[in-house]
Each structure stands twice: as C-alpha cells, then as structure tokens.
Amino acid sequence: MTTRIVELRQGILKKNDELARELRGRFEAAGVLVLNLVSSPGTGKTEFLQKTLAALRLIGSRAAALVGDLETDNDARRLALSGVPVRQINTHGICHLEAEMVSRHLESWDGVELGGLDYLFIENVGNLVCPSSYDLGERIRVALLSVTEGEDKPLKYPTLFNSVDAAIITKMDIAEAVGFNREAALRNIREIRPGIRIFETAARTGAGIEAWLDYLAEQKGATRI
Amino acid sequence: MTTRIVELRQGILKKNDELARELRGRFEAAGVLVLNLVSSPGTGKTEFLQKTLAALRLIGSRAAALVGDLETDNDARRLALSGVPVRQINTHGICHLEAEMVSRHLESWDGVELGGLDYLFIENVGNLVCPSSYDLGERIRVALLSVTEGEDKPLKYPTLFNSVDAAIITKMDIAEAVGFNREAALRNIREIRPGIRIFETAARTGAGIEAWLDYLAEQKGATRI
C-alpha cells in the first residue's frame, strides 16, 4: 500500500511541478517578481507582509498579495489595509498552497494583471512541513521565524529551510523579553542553508524593513528611487 | 486519481484508529492517564511540559513523556531535565505522530512499564493540521496556543480545536508586551469548542500551573495530597 501512495504522491507533485514551471514562465514574461512566504502559524507573516506592501506602495512600486489559509479571510482583510490588491485562498483542510490554486485565483482576479505588477507576494498556509514540497512558480522562497519560536527550528525542519532563498527573523523588538539567542538562531539557519540572506526585523518598529526593501529592489533588478 | 487517494487515506486512518483503540484499552487497563499535546511549532509545548513533569515529580506522581519531532532529539534532552523518563520519536518528514509510532516506542522502552505510570504525556510534532486526524489512544487531547500567535488561530484551524478536550494559553507573562487580546482569544476558542477548559499559563513564572495540575489530578480520578 505504501508503494502505491508514494507513486500517487509523486504523480501529484509532478503535476504541481509542471504547472509551477508554466507559472514561472508567465511571471518572468510579465516581469513580476514572485515570492512565496512560509512560516509556522503565528510567526507574524501577515503583519510583516502588511508593512512590506504599505512601504512598497509609498515608494511607487506596484505590489499585490495572495494569502492562503485553511479557513477565514481574516488575513486578506488585514493585508488589504495596506491599500494594495489582496486575494484570499481558502484551502479547506489542505496544509499548503498548490500551483493550481495560485493559477486559478490569478486567472479570476478582477482588475489585477500580472503585467501591471512589480511584485506578487504569496503568503502560504502557516506550516513548516507541507509547503516545502509544493513549488508555486515563485522566484524567491522565504522562511520566516519569530524570536519566540525557539532557535532550533531550522534543525527541526531542515527540508523547508534547505529550500529557501532568504530567511526573515520577526518580532526582534521582543527578542530580549523572550530570551532570544540570536547567535544560536543565525548559526542554525546557516548550518542548514549556508550563505543564505537573513533579515532581522520587527514589523511594529519597522526595524530591518529598509534592508528587506533593498533586497527586493536588488532582486527585481531595479534601482529604488 | 483523487478517489483512489481518498480511499487509501481512509484505509490508513482506519488502521490508525484500530490501533489507537487497542492502545486506549491498554492505557486504561494500566491505569495511566494519557495526554496528547498539539500546537504550532514554537508555542512552548516543551517548556510547558518540562515544568509539568518537574511539578508532578515533586508531588510524587509518576510521569513519563514521548516527544515527536521530524528531526533532532533536542526536545527529549530538554524534557529529561525534569528527571522523568523521556523518549524521542523522530518522524523523518511526517508531520504528525501515529498510533503505530507510539506503540512501537512504548514496547521497546527499557525500564518503563505502563503499569508503573500515573501520567504519560505525548508531545506531538509541532503542527496545527496533520495531528488532528491521528488518534494516539490518548484520553485527553490538548491544544496549546501562545499569546504571540494571533487570537484567531482557533478559527483558522477549527478541525484541531474542535477535537480537543482542553486548551492551554502559553507565555501569558509576555501577553502585554505583544498586545495579546485575551477576550478575543477566549471567545474564539469557545466559539469552536463550547464549554472547553482553558488554562492561562506562563512556564517561566509558573502562572496557571497549579490549576493545570488540579485538572490533571481530577482527570486521573485521584486527589492531590
């Protein structure tokens, strides 16, 4: 039975990979930089993304966001406060987003054209396991990790951390209050993914957001004005 | 293809349920109260459990713990500081514990007999989705939620919260620092699971641990001395 499940799973992943490749081609042709944000529930993905979207809007960049959750549209409503187009994807029991969900929600998104965007952020379902295997066609995959989560998360979830291009440490403003061991966290991230770009941020104070925006602009291949 | 996957999945769950029922019978016959602790990664399950185990040991109760993680035995080493028997289960990529893993690790656990225990705690893999469907034979399923995670987690993960017998809010000592909305959190938990017992705790200060120990003793059907 296990063999049949593995085969079926590989079939699903293969289909997802094919669609993801197709999406990646469309994103590149449209000149939009697509990022896939992954973290545990409660890391602060939505607050961090809200600040990012608002900051990008201020400097004249055109951004939009898709946000995945099992249920509720709470996060889409929070993100919409940034003033950019946001769309919720409810997965109803599935613990990750799939390329097909992204494709379907992009196609039926009134008023949003890929060609009119500089950045598309995809906030994945809060989970450190399931999203690892599902390529969404993104160019940059980002793992977020808050100072309250324990410095050994990269060692416990190597599959995810090994698949990301950048890591964002969130809630640095309460690092001292929770006894965060910064050196251990950085060491553990780099042990799993040597040479990775790491951003130490606090959405509440704005700390680290500048460096993150510079990275986005650099990745977009454009110079910020 | 979807139909076949659903059938296979139901087969696996059915097998798990049968084994869990068997385990539950063994646990009851041995007079050990078994709890399954579920939360997001970083909620503070391990620290809370460490305090619980140490406190139980102080009052003369016999406890032990099984702890699940994809990789590493960090948590088993942390829990062992409490001075009670602890065993790590590494799932290597699987995002939940299964009854078979519990059964196998209990059978080969040198020096630990179910009949010699008052309490067995099973700390599940950090995940709010996958563990929901896997009965481990526990009598009490507990969801933990930290003040840093966002008050709407019960609404976003109703399947898990609807399956638990008690909820523990952790890290109450930093509730103010992170702007935790206590009323919203309690309301959301009770909306998904009316009448549930909720404990507001802080492992660092010991807040709420007394009430939790009283609950354990009450559930065990014994009176604490």
Side-chain angles (χ1 to χ4, degrees):
Chain A
M1 185 142 106
T2 310
T3 317
R4 279 171 64 202
I5 290 176
V6 169
E7 279 167 13
L8 284 166
R9 196 176 134 75
Q10 284 172 343
I12 292 171
L13 285 175
K14 196 175 158 220
K15 206 178 140 200
N16 185 79
D17 280 349
E18 281 164 10
L19 186 50
R21 255 200 306 279
E22 212 177 288
L23 278 174
R24 187 171 289 109
R26 283 173 55 198
F27 295 153
E28 280 173 18
V32 54
L33 180 66
V34 180
L35 298 97
N36 178 2
L37 274 54
V38 182
S39 83
S40 176
T43 299
K45 275 187 301 305
T46 307
E47 196 169 347
F48 178 80
L49 184 50
Q50 190 185 321
K51 290 288 152 71
T52 301
L53 294 173
L56 285 172
R57 189 169 176 243
L58 271 179
I59 60 173
S61 291
R62 299 157 306 169
L66 289 170
V67 52
D69 273 301
L70 274 76
E71 305 293 342
T72 84
D73 64 349
N74 292 0
D75 285 358
R77 282 190 278 117
R78 284 170 66 197
L79 288 175
L81 297 174
S82 61
V84 314
V86 176
R87 191 153 190 214
Q88 181 80 46
I89 304 178
N90 279 143
T91 63
H92 305 296
I94 298 176
C95 51
H96 56 262
L97 290 178
E98 299 180 5
E100 182 277 326
M101 300 175 192
V102 171
S103 173
R104 182 160 37 92
H105 283 78
L106 282 175
E107 266 161 34
S108 58
W109 200 352
D110 283 341
V112 174
E113 292 292 333
L114 286 179
L117 294 177
D118 295 310
Y119 301 99
L120 173 65
F121 295 86
I122 308 175
E123 182 183 330
N124 219 312
V125 177
N127 205 298
L128 288 179
V129 181
C130 320
S132 310
S133 319
Y134 288 85
D135 184 357
L136 303 180
E138 73 268 16
R139 204 173 86 207
I140 298 174
R141 186 180 289 190
V142 183
L144 293 90
L145 177 73
S146 85
V147 298
T148 71
E149 286 174 51
E151 297 80 3
D152 60 355
K153 286 290 165 296
L155 307 181
K156 289 183 169 182
Y157 298 90
T159 308
L160 171 66
F161 278 86
N162 191 39
S163 78
V164 300
D165 304 291
I168 293 170
I169 303 176
T170 61
K171 308 188 189 179
M172 282 298 292
D173 52 323
I174 57 165
E176 212 181 305
V178 299
F180 177 62
N181 184 337
R182 178 177 175 269
E183 285 65 37
L186 296 178
R187 190 174 56 242
N188 291 338
I189 295 171
R190 294 199 173 111
E191 183 179 325
I192 300 298
R193 188 70 165 161
I196 192 177
R197 285 287 295 268
I198 304 177
F199 299 90
E200 300 173 50
T201 69
R204 287 204 300 183
T205 65
I209 302 284
E210 276 291 317
W212 166 243
L213 293 178
D214 286 341
Y215 170 79
L216 290 178
E218 173 197 313
Q219 292 296 320
K220 180 87 175 75
T223 315
R224 275 176 68 203
I225 300 157
Chain B
M1 186 141 107
T2 309
T3 316
R4 278 170 66 202
I5 290 176
V6 169
E7 278 167 13
L8 284 166
R9 194 176 136 77
Q10 283 172 344
I12 292 171
L13 285 174
K14 196 175 158 221
K15 206 178 139 199
N16 185 80
D17 279 350
E18 280 164 10
L19 185 50
R21 256 201 306 278
E22 213 178 288
L23 277 175
R24 186 171 288 109
R26 284 174 55 199
F27 295 151
E28 280 175 18
V32 55
L33 180 66
V34 180
L35 298 98
N36 178 3
L37 274 55
V38 182
S39 83
S40 178
T43 298
K45 275 189 302 302
T46 307
E47 195 169 346
F48 178 79
L49 183 50
Q50 189 186 321
K51 290 289 154 66
T52 301
L53 295 173
L56 286 171
R57 190 169 175 241
L58 271 179
I59 60 173
S61 291
R62 300 158 304 169
L66 289 170
V67 52
D69 273 302
L70 275 76
E71 306 292 343
T72 84
D73 63 349
N74 293 359
D75 285 0
R77 283 189 277 118
R78 284 171 64 196
L79 289 175
L81 297 173
S82 61
V84 315
V86 176
R87 193 155 190 213
Q88 180 80 47
I89 305 178
N90 277 143
T91 63
H92 304 297
I94 297 175
C95 51
H96 56 262
L97 290 178
E98 298 180 6
E100 182 277 326
M101 301 177 192
V102 171
S103 173
R104 182 159 39 91
H105 283 78
L106 282 175
E107 267 161 34
S108 58
W109 199 353
D110 284 341
V112 174
E113 292 291 333
L114 285 179
L117 293 178
D118 295 311
Y119 301 98
L120 173 66
F121 294 87
I122 307 175
E123 182 184 331
N124 219 310
V125 177
N127 205 299
L128 289 177
V129 181
C130 319
S132 310
S133 320
Y134 288 85
D135 184 357
L136 303 180
E138 74 269 14
R139 204 174 86 205
I140 297 174
R141 186 179 291 190
V142 184
L144 293 91
L145 178 72
S146 86
V147 298
T148 71
E149 287 174 49
E151 298 79 4
D152 59 355
K153 285 291 167 293
L155 307 181
K156 288 184 171 183
Y157 299 90
T159 308
L160 171 67
F161 279 86
N162 191 39
S163 78
V164 300
D165 305 291
I168 293 171
I169 302 176
T170 61
K171 309 189 190 180
M172 283 298 291
D173 53 325
I174 56 164
E176 211 181 308
V178 300
F180 177 63
N181 184 337
R182 177 177 175 271
E183 285 64 41
L186 297 177
R187 189 175 56 241
N188 290 339
I189 295 170
R190 292 196 174 113
E191 183 179 327
I192 300 298
R193 188 70 165 162
I196 192 176
R197 285 287 293 269
I198 304 176
F199 300 90
E200 299 172 52
T201 69
R204 288 205 298 185
T205 63
I209 302 285
E210 276 292 316
W212 166 243
L213 292 177
D214 286 342
Y215 171 79
L216 289 179
E218 174 198 311
Q219 291 296 320
K220 179 87 177 78
T223 315
R224 275 176 68 202
I225 300 157

